[in-house]
Amino acid sequence: MHKPLLKRIAPMIALALSLPSLAAANPAAPGQAPGQRRVPPSEAFAACDGKQEGVKVSFTTPHGDTVSGTCKMIAARLAAIPDHPPRQRPGAPGAAK
């Protein structure tokens, strides 16, 4: 193989070989683009306004579900982290068929 060509394609080959391990190291939530961090909805932050970390709260999601959780620091703000992970809504992106 010609050396200049090898120098150009070697980094691309290395990147292609590393992509599966990068994806496995940072799995995305269903319906979420790989590499994105999941952010609580604004209602989760509002539920913890004026409260302290560790306080139990509940809030209503935009879909009308009531979620109970505990206030925890997320990106320097308190947000309600669900006691039980939310179930995947039928028809939502990434939902099982």
Side-chain angles (χ1 to χ4, degrees), residues 46-86:
C48 291
D49 280 347
K51 307 236 178 4
Q52 293 183 347
E53 191 167 16
V55 172
K56 295 279 190 184
V57 294
S58 64
F59 64 95
T60 304
T61 69
H63 297 289
D65 300 322
T66 300
V67 177
S68 60
T70 304
C71 292
K72 293 187 181 176
M73 290 301 283
I74 304 288
R77 278 182 73 191
L78 281 176
I81 304 303
D83 293 331
H84 306 285

